[in-house]
Amino acid sequence: MPNKEPSATVGADLPDAAAPARRVRGGPKGLRITDVAAQAGVAPITVSRVFNSPETVAPETLERVRQVVQKLGYVPNRLAGGLSSSRSRLIAAIVPTIAHSLFSDTIQVFSEAMSRAGYQVLLALSGYDGSSEEALLDAVLSRRPEGVLLTGVAHTDSLRARLANVGIPIVETWDMTEQPIDMLVGFSHYQTGVAVAEHFLQTNRRKPALVSANDERALARRRGFRERLARAGIDDIPEVLVAPPSSVAIGKAALPRLIEEARHIDAVFCGSDLLAIGALSAARQLGLSVPSQLAICGFGDLEFATETTPQLTSVHVDGTRIGLTAARCLLDRLAGSAQNKVTDVGFGIIRRATT
Amino acid sequence: MPNKEPSATVGADLPDAAAPARRVRGGPKGLRITDVAAQAGVAPITVSRVFNSPETVAPETLERVRQVVQKLGYVPNRLAGGLSSSRSRLIAAIVPTIAHSLFSDTIQVFSEAMSRAGYQVLLALSGYDGSSEEALLDAVLSRRPEGVLLTGVAHTDSLRARLANVGIPIVETWDMTEQPIDMLVGFSHYQTGVAVAEHFLQTNRRKPALVSANDERALARRRGFRERLARAGIDDIPEVLVAPPSSVAIGKAALPRLIEEARHIDAVFCGSDLLAIGALSAARQLGLSVPSQLAICGFGDLEFATETTPQLTSVHVDGTRIGLTAARCLLDRLAGSAQNKVTDVGFGIIRRATT
DNA sequence: CTGAAAGCGCTTACAG
DNA sequence: CTGAAAGCGCTTACAG
């Protein structure tokens, strides 16, 4: 029961050269707010209020409109709503990857929290190379998100400037910096490397080695590790650098290369739990006892590691807490609170075996 | 260099009771296409073409507009663009969870493929309870996505009808049905259960048991498992049902309960790899040798399992392939191809230990 | 508590 | 190859 005749036929009925040609756009594609309004006998704005501020609508009107909405199956068009109100109710999450779970827990709880608050999450996977970050940011900003979660601190000045200029809340996560763009929830990868170095020193490992991915944060861990060891007089640290994303297979291949290079290593700091598991597997094949002959330390929060690889030590990061805290930061700011905070969630070194 | 004076002050300058009051909306919030057009000395539509059909613009004009875009840092507003063109360039992905990696690989490759094709992914986490599925669908459809990836087949008639009615391509994944809403990329969970049952029978396990989550797909696996065993004359199958999401801890707690119930089990089919790892851990503590005394079979495609738990058998599903195939289905359809296909990606039983 | 008018920032559908 | 006008489906900012 459309409330006006199909406009496509108007010009055809009356070909009048004097009147300007009637422009037509594709025809009606779905239900609009005016369809609901007509059926309910109210103005479109009242239907809008039923969705956006039901408390301002008379109970009886509310009920009537809702019944029509239900009957027709009307779903508001948020493209239009967002354009009109400048409120997209969209939050962008930019993450290198959600495979292999390092960040997937963060995104999981972040999305849940956002969803509860009435926002939806636009997921943008940046990969590890950063080559197309500007293009990705364009794509993200073109949706006019009301907030952005970033994984890692933004590296380039151009990126930082653009993000700062859009004037929406930004949370950088999974890293630490003195000068966040806006808010930050993370921890210091450098300190993580320092802590692992100290752990190795305390357990009398004098020939430590490194298997690291060469992404920004892994390199920060590497730096902390090397610098702390250097202060203890250990300068010659054999290492294998691998390209992200890391995997068990890569870790498995890396250990033999390391041992080829330096036969007498007694500890390896791996850039991720997956690499550590691969290294553990390779150590087994090489007949090395872990951790007595070779200590292996990973990085991550993979639950399975607790049960399946008690020989490994790991730097544990609470990805869930990062996601929840980041969500709260964003939501607080969106609700008007103005605190500009940095949250250091810290990390822990989980040592399972006592040998 | 705005091309018109700020409208907010117009009425203030000339308080004229006869003229209708000038309505004002919040003031200018950002750059618009008209700002770029003015600076470049072209019409807005030309700027639009530079973004959407650059091949139709004269090379010189193209260059000039692009320079202004660059200089100003203009990013088109896709809320407006989508509303106007009825092309949101958004694809929705509805997944129970991305934590713990079962679906995260699928979403990872799906997002990458969509991104390459110029689409962005709206991530919607449905959880496992299905209580708020209608509301979730409303939220998703309100963004007017051009396609939808669903995890699992839609259960309720209402959901199926609504999805079918929106007239956009839909891919159901990670399951199998005779009557998909539109397209489907998955495999039969029921057959998976049958296959595990047969594997147990072939390896002479006569006292099989079950640890299963009670979500729809896990229950289908359970059904296949039980029915196949029943045909072999095994009707009394002890089981523990647990609530999703499953975890190592839950699996670890479940095995003792199972053994309490039925002391003589010689095989367990676990609903997920995490449950299987937990069960393995519990078996160790109970002094049960795996697999010689107790076979344990999981479900999933967690890479680590290959290296860390060779005692386990597992049903392996290629989540990456599902994601890629689903993306291709959607993109083909969006590009105009009309095939309405069901893809069975199958599964494999991965048996690592020979004992 | 409800509504008429204007506007959000684009693109369509012409026309030249 | 370029542009003027109209329209996409909502919400704002009033007014009553």
Side-chain angles (χ1 to χ4, degrees):
Chain A
M1 202 178 294
N3 60 339
K4 52 178 174 179
E5 54 182 320
S7 48
T9 66
V10 172
D13 288 342
L14 186 69
D16 179 356
R22 178 66 185 273
R23 302 295 160 83
V24 170
R25 288 175 66 104
K29 278 139 212 152
L31 291 166
R32 293 146 303 170
I33 205 170
T34 49
D35 299 321
V36 176
Q39 282 245 352
V42 296
I45 182 61
T46 299
V47 179
S48 172
R49 288 190 181 111
V50 167
F51 284 100
N52 299 312
S53 52
E55 70 283 0
T56 68
V57 179
E60 196 179 277
T61 311
L62 195 62
E63 181 55 26
R64 188 153 35 96
V65 171
R66 279 187 172 153
Q67 240 144 47
V68 174
V69 166
Q70 182 69 35
K71 176 182 150 205
L72 262 36
Y74 170 71
V75 177
N77 183 332
R78 273 196 195 274
L79 261 35
L83 171 60
S84 185
S85 66
S86 299
R87 296 213 50 191
S88 66
R89 297 221 163 253
L90 228 39
I91 303 285
I94 305 181
V95 187
T97 169
I98 58 162
H100 308 122
S101 180
L102 239 200
F103 305 120
S104 64
D105 284 1
T106 299
I107 298 304
Q108 172 77 26
V109 298
F110 181 79
S111 293
E112 287 170 357
M114 283 304 161
S115 172
R116 276 192 298 274
Y119 291 88
Q120 283 172 273
V121 171
L122 191 70
L123 181 67
L125 301 176
S126 58
Y128 278 102
D129 62 355
S131 65
S132 56
E133 282 208 310
E134 293 276 347
L136 190 74
L137 187 62
D138 280 350
V140 162
L141 294 181
S142 75
R143 303 289 176 182
R144 300 297 188 263
E146 297 184 44
V148 178
L149 174 144
L150 284 178
T151 308
V153 300
H155 344 288
T156 73
D157 285 346
S158 151
L159 228 53
R160 297 178 59 80
R162 291 185 59 195
L163 281 164
N165 275 335
V166 287
I168 57 177
I170 313 277
V171 211
E172 292 165 281
T173 64
W174 276 91
D175 205 347
M176 190 49 65
T177 173
E178 295 294 295
Q179 275 135 23
I181 299 172
D182 182 8
M183 296 173 290
L184 183 146
V185 182
F187 61 94
S188 163
H189 289 262
Y190 181 90
Q191 288 305 332
T192 275
V194 169
V196 174
E198 288 175 349
H199 172 72
F200 282 167
L201 291 170
Q202 279 157 22
T203 51
N204 289 314
R205 308 288 173 167
R206 310 303 298 179
K207 303 281 186 192
L210 196 59
V211 177
S212 173
N214 58 8
D215 69 82
E216 193 131 353
R217 287 176 294 282
L219 291 176
R221 297 195 289 275
R222 169 176 173 260
R223 215 161 47 240
F225 185 70
R226 298 182 71 100
E227 290 184 10
R228 181 63 188 84
L229 288 173
R231 273 185 276 134
I234 303 178
D235 279 305
D236 180 29
I237 299 165
E239 68 176 16
V240 173
L241 289 188
V242 300
S246 62
S247 67
V248 173
I250 292 173
K252 196 172 178 178
L255 190 68
R257 288 176 53 198
L258 211 49
I259 287 178
E260 217 167 278
E261 189 184 320
R263 197 159 304 272
H264 299 301
I265 61 174
D266 57 9
V268 192
F269 179 26
C270 293
S272 75
D273 281 345
L274 291 178
L275 291 175
I277 286 168
L280 174 62
S281 171
R284 267 188 202 136
Q285 288 186 358
L286 293 167
L288 288 167
S289 158
V290 177
S292 61
Q293 289 179 277
L294 182 69
I296 301 179
C297 183
F299 175 89
D301 65 348
L302 303 183
E303 182 194 19
F304 69 87
T306 309
E307 295 298 335
T308 59
T309 57
Q311 311 96 308
L312 297 180
T313 295
S314 182
V315 177
H316 177 272
V317 178
D318 190 345
T320 294
R321 179 155 171 231
I322 291 179
L324 279 178
T325 310
R328 194 164 41 235
C329 283
L330 242 32
L331 290 171
D332 282 358
R333 183 67 72 69
L334 288 167
S337 316
Q339 71 275 40
N340 215 70
K341 58 189 167 191
V342 169
T343 309
D344 191 335
V345 301
F347 57 86
I349 294 206
I350 310 289
R351 208 185 151 192
R352 299 186 195 89
T354 47
T355 334
Chain B
M1 203 178 292
N3 59 339
K4 52 177 174 180
E5 53 182 320
S7 49
T9 65
V10 172
D13 287 347
L14 186 67
D16 180 355
R22 177 67 183 272
R23 301 295 159 83
V24 170
R25 289 175 67 103
K29 279 138 213 154
L31 292 166
R32 292 147 303 170
I33 205 169
T34 50
D35 299 321
V36 176
Q39 282 244 352
V42 295
I45 182 62
T46 299
V47 179
S48 172
R49 288 189 181 109
V50 167
F51 283 99
N52 300 312
S53 52
E55 69 284 0
T56 69
V57 178
E60 197 179 278
T61 311
L62 195 62
E63 181 55 25
R64 186 154 35 95
V65 172
R66 280 187 171 151
Q67 240 144 45
V68 175
V69 166
Q70 182 69 34
K71 176 181 150 207
L72 261 37
Y74 170 71
V75 177
N77 183 331
R78 273 196 193 275
L79 294 172
L83 172 60
S84 184
S85 66
S86 300
R87 296 215 49 193
S88 66
R89 296 219 162 258
L90 227 38
I91 303 285
I94 305 181
V95 187
T97 169
I98 59 162
H100 308 123
S101 182
L102 238 201
F103 306 120
S104 64
D105 284 1
T106 299
I107 299 304
Q108 172 78 26
V109 297
F110 181 78
S111 293
E112 287 170 357
M114 284 303 161
S115 171
R116 276 192 298 274
Y119 291 88
Q120 282 172 275
V121 171
L122 191 70
L123 181 67
L125 302 176
S126 58
Y128 278 101
D129 62 355
S131 64
S132 56
E133 282 207 311
E134 294 277 346
L136 190 75
L137 187 61
D138 280 350
V140 161
L141 293 182
S142 75
R143 304 290 176 182
R144 300 297 187 264
E146 297 184 43
V148 178
L149 175 142
L150 284 178
T151 308
V153 300
H155 345 289
T156 73
D157 285 346
S158 152
L159 228 55
R160 297 178 58 80
R162 290 185 58 194
L163 281 165
N165 276 334
V166 287
I168 57 177
I170 312 276
V171 210
E172 292 165 280
T173 64
W174 275 92
D175 204 346
M176 190 51 63
T177 172
E178 295 293 294
Q179 276 135 21
I181 299 173
D182 182 8
M183 296 174 289
L184 183 147
V185 182
F187 60 94
S188 164
H189 290 261
Y190 181 90
Q191 288 305 332
T192 275
V194 169
V196 174
E198 288 176 348
H199 172 72
F200 282 167
L201 290 170
Q202 279 158 21
T203 51
N204 290 312
R205 309 288 173 167
R206 310 303 297 178
K207 303 281 185 191
L210 197 59
V211 176
S212 173
N214 58 7
D215 69 82
E216 193 131 355
R217 287 176 293 282
L219 292 177
R221 297 195 288 275
R222 169 176 173 260
R223 213 161 49 239
F225 186 70
R226 298 182 71 98
E227 291 184 9
R228 180 63 188 82
L229 289 172
R231 273 185 276 134
I234 304 177
D235 280 303
D236 179 29
I237 299 164
E239 68 176 16
V240 172
L241 289 188
V242 301
S246 61
S247 67
V248 173
I250 292 173
K252 196 170 178 179
L255 189 68
R257 286 177 53 200
L258 211 49
I259 287 176
E260 217 167 279
E261 189 184 320
R263 197 159 304 273
H264 298 301
I265 61 174
D266 58 8
V268 191
F269 178 26
C270 293
S272 75
D273 281 346
L274 291 178
L275 291 174
I277 287 168
L280 174 62
S281 171
R284 269 188 200 136
Q285 289 186 358
L286 293 168
L288 288 168
S289 158
V290 177
S292 60
Q293 288 178 278
L294 181 70
I296 300 178
C297 182
F299 176 90
D301 64 349
L302 302 183
E303 183 193 19
F304 70 87
T306 308
E307 295 297 336
T308 59
T309 58
Q311 310 96 309
L312 297 180
T313 295
S314 182
V315 176
H316 177 272
V317 179
D318 191 344
T320 294
R321 178 152 172 235
I322 292 179
L324 279 178
T325 310
R328 194 163 40 233
C329 283
L330 242 32
L331 291 171
D332 281 359
R333 183 68 70 68
L334 288 167
S337 317
Q339 71 276 38
N340 213 70
K341 59 188 166 192
V342 169
T343 310
D344 190 335
V345 302
F347 57 87
I349 294 207
I350 310 289
R351 209 185 150 192
R352 301 186 193 90
T354 47
T355 334

